Amino acid sequence: MSHVIVVGAGPTGLLLAGDLAEAGVAVTLLERRDGRVSNLSRAFAVHARTLEVLDARGLVEELDRTGAGHVSDIRLFERVHVDLGRLPGRFPYMLVTAQYNVERVLLARAVAAGVTIEYGTTVVDVHQDATGVSVITEDRTYRADYLVGADGFHSAVRRSLGQAFPGRSVLKSIMLADVRLRETPPDTLTVDGNGSEFVFLAPFGDGWYRIFAWDRRSDVSDDTPLELDEVRAITRRALGTDFGISEARWLSRFHSDERQVAEYRVGRVFLAGDAAHVHSPAGGMGMNTGLQDAANLSWKLAAVLRGAPETLLDTYQAERHPVGAEVLRISGTMIRMAMLRSRVGRAVRGVVGGLALRVPAIRRRLTGRISAIGFRYAAPRGEDPRVGSRMPDLDLADGTRLYEHLRGGRFVLVGGTAPEGWGDRVRAVASAGEIVLVRPDGYVAKIFGRTAEPAEVRTALAALVGQPARAGV
Ligand SMILES: Cc1cc2nc3c(=O)[nH]c(=O)nc-3n(C[C@H](O)[C@H](O)[C@H](O)COP(=O)(O)OP(=O)(O)OC[C@H]3O[C@@H](n4cnc5c(N)ncnc54)[C@H](O)[C@@H]3O)c2cc1C
């Protein structure tokens, strides 16, 4: 039986492993940590496109219940706000919830789908040959058809491939504190700065708050202990109050890098999430981008293991590398603007930024990028140019929605009739208009026009979904 190994049970690895298992692929997830999900969260924002991806897996309602609220308005600096409220789709906001809530939901789903998780297992090396991949851990060797390194910033898989992680540090000595407050801040997200310092404050929804603070004049190493009084003082200076910070469960310093690997695929080995790209926390896009990587790769691996051409796997690099590069650019621009030192520069930033965001096309582009709703993939040569664009959810005549039919990693043939043999992986839904094949990750796979010859549909399915199971399925 074909087998995929995923290294790293962070959000990226958990989504990917769960998708593969739901698609009927045997998956082993190797994780260095013990089995507990940490309550020390890094990300706390789930953006609109990720919510759509989770909707296509039936997980949004559960995750929403863990959240501290929906935020439609992100303040960048001065009076410059990004309004997510006009995003198209069911989720014109970002959900504020801790990364550990996302991981818990994805873990429960992966376990239910049958993923084998081996905790306390550290991957140290990887070798590949024509028939598969050998994954070497501290005490044994595993063998698989394909391997995905979702093992984060310090990825051992990336290192084993001999891949560089080019880029640089953008921000040093960021203070991170998870604290309780005696007073509730009036806004869900609070951010302010005075040119040499800034503080960002967000709730986790369970009584704890995350503070990121940065002081331009401070240049201490990440291992210098951080005291709660230092956090209180900078918060008061930047926000005018510390909202009665009472206790902390996590105090640390970190630096932020901007890096991207050149090759997301090397033969039978793939890199996804932070193993492939990292950038500043500005815009809250890191975890979200990793989850989109996973959603892009999982159906392709499942299809190739069911007989689709191997070249389908090359589209992972072609589609996701440019998105990663763009996320680095946007997040980098946001952090550099936030860090502007001179009074004049900050005044210009406020005026120019405010004016620019009044232009609908610029506003749409920025909100589309931050939320990932606006990303699209290039259409293959000769295909309708709409192929590769995000397919919006549709209300169907029978009262169901398109994204509900994507659940289980299925393709959906909108308005067409699925030929025999693919019934386990393709669902046909009635709809007037053009016949559209939608990928499991919610992007347009093929547009047939108003009618489609059965042979044409079969050819498309064999290329994208894999070989038919058997007649009548
Ligand atoms: C302070 C901070 C704030 C952030 N805020 C946001 C935000 O608001 N929004 C957002 O989208 N992103 C945010 N991010 C980024 C986000 O946390 C990461 O992008 C996300 O965790 C990446 O997920 P991942 O699954 O790719 O990697 P990780 O979460 O790093 O998971 C990798 C997993 O691999 C395991 N592992 C590592 N090496 C091995 C090995 N050799 N063998 C076996 N297992 C191994 C690790 O134990 C870990 O469980 C933030 C990051 C930081 C640091």
Side-chain angles (χ1 to χ4, degrees):
M1 187 182 183
S2 41
H3 179 209
V4 175
I5 291 181
V6 177
V7 186
T12 307
L14 287 168
L15 182 71
L16 186 77
D19 280 6
L20 289 166
E22 282 198 344
V25 176
V27 195
T28 305
L29 183 50
L30 305 179
E31 168 55 53
R32 184 173 59 185
R33 282 182 285 111
D34 65 19
R36 284 167 299 186
V37 172
S38 163
N39 69 344
L40 304 178
S41 181
R42 293 188 283 162
F44 49 84
V46 182
H47 279 299
R49 186 58 183 159
T50 307
L51 291 170
E52 291 189 336
V53 161
L54 297 174
D55 185 27
R57 287 156 180 79
L59 300 173
V60 163
E61 285 74 15
E62 193 185 342
L63 187 64
D64 198 66
R65 282 194 291 275
T66 69
H70 298 168
V71 172
S72 301
D73 183 77
I74 310 178
R75 180 163 164 241
L76 296 183
F77 30 75
E78 279 90 44
R79 292 200 197 91
V80 182
H81 294 247
V82 176
D83 177 12
L84 301 175
R86 295 190 223 182
L87 282 173
R90 284 166 56 82
F91 308 105
Y93 51 80
M94 69 183 192
L95 170 65
V96 177
T97 192
Q99 181 167 331
Y100 51 72
N101 290 324
V102 177
E103 291 180 16
R104 282 195 185 116
V105 168
L106 294 175
L107 173 64
R109 174 221 185 210
V111 169
V115 174
T116 304
I117 308 184
E118 303 206 0
Y119 288 107
T121 306
T122 301
V123 170
V124 292
D125 207 357
V126 171
H127 299 291
Q128 54 179 319
D129 54 47
T131 61
V133 188
S134 298
V135 183
I136 296 132
T137 67
E138 282 168 330
D139 49 17
R140 64 169 277 201
T141 298
Y142 295 77
R143 186 85 182 150
D145 295 277
Y146 293 100
L147 169 72
V148 184
D151 50 345
F153 180 79
H154 298 288
S155 173
V157 175
R158 190 183 64 234
R159 207 176 44 240
S160 303
L161 292 172
Q163 288 265 310
F165 204 25
R168 58 190 168 133
S169 279
V170 277
L171 220 51
K172 286 192 269 182
S173 310
I174 307 173
M175 295 169 232
L176 182 160
D178 281 2
V179 297
R180 284 196 185 274
L181 306 177
R182 276 192 284 272
E183 299 157 33
T184 304
D187 300 316
T188 310
L189 300 184
T190 312
V191 58
D192 219 332
N194 54 26
S196 56
E197 299 166 311
F198 74 71
V199 168
F200 175 87
L201 177 68
F204 285 120
D206 58 359
W208 290 94
Y209 286 79
R210 156 66 46 83
I211 291 180
F212 287 132
W214 182 72
D215 180 348
R216 182 188 300 283
R217 294 154 303 195
S218 162
D219 186 12
V220 294
S221 65
D222 288 0
D223 53 10
T224 308
L226 177 62
E227 301 297 330
L228 192 53
D229 278 343
E230 191 177 345
V231 178
R232 282 195 183 102
I234 189 169
T235 307
R236 271 187 227 126
R237 288 195 301 271
L239 303 184
T241 169
D242 69 8
F243 296 107
I245 293 174
S246 57
E247 59 172 311
R249 66 177 175 187
W250 189 21
L251 289 166
S252 84
R253 299 180 197 268
F254 71 105
H255 66 277
S256 174
D257 280 11
E258 229 172 53
R259 300 181 185 277
Q260 188 181 25
V261 74
E263 302 297 335
Y264 281 26
R265 176 188 185 190
V266 178
R268 292 175 173 273
V269 183
F270 299 82
L271 294 168
D274 274 19
H277 45 73
V278 290
H279 51 79
S280 88
M285 295 177 281
M287 175 184 74
N288 288 274
T289 309
L291 292 171
Q292 305 294 334
D293 291 345
N296 184 283
L297 181 57
S298 59
W299 69 265
K300 295 174 182 174
L301 279 170
V304 168
L305 289 169
R306 301 284 291 261
E310 257 256 324
T311 48
L312 182 61
L313 296 174
D314 292 333
T315 65
Y316 173 62
Q317 161 86 13
E319 294 185 341
R320 293 305 300 168
H321 190 279
V323 171
E326 178 71 0
V327 170
L328 254 72
R329 256 194 305 277
I330 295 170
S331 160
T333 306
M334 285 166 74
I335 204 76
R336 285 180 188 90
M337 297 291 271
M339 284 162 46
L340 277 181
R341 185 194 294 261
S342 82
R343 202 178 287 262
V344 176
R346 282 184 281 127
V348 171
R349 160 187 88 177
V351 174
V352 174
L355 286 174
L357 285 174
R358 278 196 217 139
V359 180
I362 296 178
R363 195 176 54 229
R364 266 199 307 277
R365 191 176 162 83
L366 184 64
T367 56
R369 294 294 195 257
I370 292 175
S371 65
I373 288 280
F375 283 118
R376 54 153 306 146
Y377 305 129
R381 191 177 303 218
E383 288 289 350
D384 185 300
R386 293 169 293 170
V387 168
S389 57
R390 163 186 164 272
M391 183 73 187
D393 198 8
L394 299 176
D395 289 318
L396 301 167
D398 64 0
T400 61
R401 293 186 292 114
L402 170 64
Y403 272 49
E404 291 168 348
H405 292 281
L406 293 171
R407 292 176 187 172
R410 277 187 295 265
F411 282 75
V412 179
L413 190 60
V414 180
T417 311
E420 280 194 355
W422 282 276
D424 56 339
R425 284 160 286 160
V426 183
R427 177 167 291 179
V429 297
S431 178
E434 286 177 309
I435 301 171
V436 179
L437 181 65
V438 183
R439 306 176 355 178
D441 58 353
Y443 290 84
V444 174
K446 177 99 187 156
I447 297 183
F448 294 97
R450 295 200 165 256
T451 57
E453 291 299 323
E456 198 188 351
V457 178
R458 278 198 297 272
T459 304
L461 295 185
L464 293 162
V465 187
Q467 294 303 312
R470 57 191 157 80
V473 173

